[in-house]
Amino acid sequence: MKSPVFISSFGSVSALGQSPAEIWSNYKNQKHFITKKLFGKAEAFAAFLPENLKAEIESLRNENTNYKKLDDSVLFATFSARKAIKVAGWESEKNIGVNIGSSRGATGLFEKYHKEFIETGKAATQASPSTTLGNISSWVSQDLQNEGPEFSHSVTCSTGLHSVVNSIAWMQAGFTDKFLAGGSEAALTPFTIAQMKAMKIYASEDLDFPCRALDMEKTRNSMVLGEAAGILALQDKNSEKTIAKITGIGYATETLKHSVSISEKGESLQKAMKMAIGEKELSEIDAVVMHAPGTLKGDLSEVNAIKAVFGENTPAMTSNKWKLGHTFAASGILNLELAVLMLQHQEFIEVPFSEISEAPARLENILVNAVGFGGNAVSILVSKK
């Protein structure tokens, strides 16, 4: 990075709620927000938005006739973007970049329209425009009446952090001085859950904590999906309103053995973390908010990567997926949100059933990781303002 980039605000919706105070309160207790629900003909664990928040999303849908045709992933992002803009005080700004990605995109609508096509042999008029991946950033820009650049991408589970990396690149190239970056996912559908179960990675045990992310003694995979969107407002200059700064970015891809593989020592994560840390001393990194999806190989690979990079200076490690599920494209942004909240409150949030590390003595610099199918890793170094 040429220079630090500053975080002005977050807007997010997840199983933890929407306001920073509510989200922090829910992080502070040891309760998880995962429930069991019927998906088609089979039950499965998942983490849903709270009912009162869903009602607010529905109110947004009813604001505009066009919004009634949009997928939940678009509405989650629009709702979150409005919050981020308001808190940042950017309501009058028009040259804001928008880069919001998704792993699955308009999952609910795509499945609905495909089912109709199988049954009738005809596609609905809105089938194409409402299921394109660019739908999310486009509609957020429309809602904000923004005139800046807007684009989307999909890099599986590292999509959200790739949005941050892309936005920083555009800002430091001089195209704009403000960006909304994030990810949105509304993929809690029978077909999506079935896909995860088919890979033998989904949680199936009725335990106190169904997702055992960072339980290094677990003997079964325990990934659980959640729905969420996370948008952060980035700017290239410091101000009174900024809440943290990004001081390093890193990214890497490793050679695959199969489509969802990751190396035993997390080679791509090692490279991404080293790039993000840059010239800082390893001892300056106080904690890592990990991708840690609750799978046997995924958790172990990331722990191995951290130990390989840091050696005796291993920082404190934590994850939030045991609490709010794996939210695909939004997961890295929610990890970043947790890191910023810990910096603001100067308190480390532990995984209650994990003994992998203890709380650090200080919180100044926190690494945030995300890795997706394809061995595609991103690391962001966020620092106290």
Side-chain angles (χ1 to χ4, degrees):
M1 289 179 63
K2 294 179 180 179
S3 57
V5 167
F6 297 88
I7 299 174
S8 298
S9 66
F10 274 92
S12 72
V13 294
S14 73
L16 302 186
Q18 60 166 308
S19 73
E22 178 185 20
I23 293 166
W24 181 246
S25 175
N26 283 328
Y27 270 125
K28 289 269 289 175
N29 67 53
Q30 294 191 350
K31 173 188 173 184
H32 68 79
F33 294 81
I34 294 168
T35 58
K36 205 168 192 180
K37 185 176 177 179
L38 193 65
F39 290 89
K41 297 179 181 179
E43 280 191 325
F45 294 107
F48 294 87
L49 301 188
E51 289 301 322
N52 63 329
L53 183 48
K54 284 186 177 181
E56 291 191 55
I57 300 291
E58 284 305 304
S59 294
L60 169 60
R61 188 191 304 277
N62 293 325
E63 281 184 19
N64 187 314
T65 303
N66 290 320
Y67 290 4
K68 295 180 183 294
K69 305 168 186 175
L70 300 179
D71 187 72
D72 281 350
S73 58
V74 180
L75 295 176
F76 291 177
T78 302
F79 187 90
S80 301
R82 286 183 179 183
K83 287 175 52 191
I85 288 285
K86 183 176 181 180
V87 175
W90 293 359
E91 292 97 333
S92 61
E93 300 278 349
K94 291 301 176 185
N95 188 34
I96 301 169
V98 177
N99 181 15
I100 305 168
S102 182
S103 177
R104 302 277 160 168
T107 317
L109 282 186
F110 191 93
E111 292 180 23
K112 171 182 176 289
Y113 287 133
H114 184 259
K115 181 175 182 291
E116 291 176 1
F117 174 73
I118 294 299
E119 292 174 349
T120 67
K122 296 180 180 180
T125 304
Q126 287 295 319
S128 176
S130 64
T131 59
T132 54
L133 184 59
N135 222 23
I136 301 178
S137 288
S138 295
W139 277 108
V140 168
S141 290
Q142 287 284 339
D143 184 73
L144 299 175
Q145 291 296 289
N146 181 50
E147 298 171 4
E150 57 90 0
F151 53 98
S152 296
H153 64 261
S154 179
V155 200
T156 63
C157 305
S158 53
T159 296
L161 290 194
H162 268 293
S163 294
V164 177
V165 172
N166 274 329
S167 298
I168 289 172
W170 276 64
M171 291 168 68
Q172 300 205 329
F175 290 109
T176 183
D177 60 357
K178 294 180 175 65
F179 240 98
L180 292 179
S184 185
E185 213 72 58
L188 298 183
T189 65
F191 185 49
T192 307
I193 299 292
Q195 290 175 64
M196 300 301 107
K197 287 184 175 181
M199 290 191 292
K200 312 297 184 186
I201 59 175
Y202 214 73
S204 58
E205 293 185 282
D206 283 307
L207 303 172
D208 289 343
F209 298 97
C211 176
R212 307 291 298 183
L214 287 190
D215 176 0
M216 306 314 291
E217 303 299 321
K218 62 178 174 289
T219 57
R220 301 178 68 169
N221 288 318
S222 65
M223 193 181 87
V224 173
L225 294 187
E227 58 185 1
I231 312 292
L232 70 157
L234 297 171
Q235 62 184 58
D236 65 357
K237 291 182 176 60
N238 197 4
S239 71
E240 291 182 0
K241 284 200 169 187
T242 56
I243 55 177
K245 59 184 178 181
I246 293 174
T247 51
I249 56 175
Y251 46 88
T253 305
E254 61 186 46
T255 303
L256 296 178
K257 292 183 178 178
H258 57 79
S259 60
V260 296
S261 68
I262 186 170
S263 59
E264 184 179 344
K265 293 185 178 180
E267 293 168 6
S268 60
L269 276 166
Q270 288 188 46
K271 293 175 183 176
M273 287 188 287
K274 288 177 181 177
M275 186 187 297
I277 294 166
E279 296 181 1
K280 279 189 180 293
E281 294 292 331
L282 294 177
S283 58
E284 293 184 66
I285 310 304
D286 305 307
V288 183
V289 180
M290 298 168 61
H291 182 70
T295 61
L296 294 168
K297 291 183 177 179
D299 289 11
L300 181 59
S301 174
E302 190 170 3
V303 169
N304 288 341
I306 291 169
K307 290 181 177 179
V309 170
F310 288 93
E312 295 180 357
N313 293 303
T314 302
M317 293 177 268
T318 191
S319 170
N320 57 15
K321 291 184 178 63
W322 65 272
K323 183 178 277 283
L324 52 79
H326 187 352
T327 56
F328 286 152
S331 63
I333 301 295
L334 298 184
N335 288 352
L336 190 54
E337 180 181 57
L338 171 58
V340 171
L341 286 170
M342 290 195 298
L343 289 172
Q344 288 180 305
H345 293 274
Q346 284 297 289
E347 185 173 349
F348 182 71
I349 299 298
E350 298 177 295
V351 179
F353 50 79
S354 175
E355 299 179 356
I356 197 166
S357 61
E358 297 180 355
R362 66 177 187 192
L363 285 169
E364 298 286 339
N365 301 292
I366 301 177
L367 264 181
V368 178
N369 288 342
V371 61
F373 292 159
N376 197 311
V378 180
S379 292
I380 304 287
L381 182 60
V382 60
S383 303
K384 187 179 177 183
K385 181 182 169 183

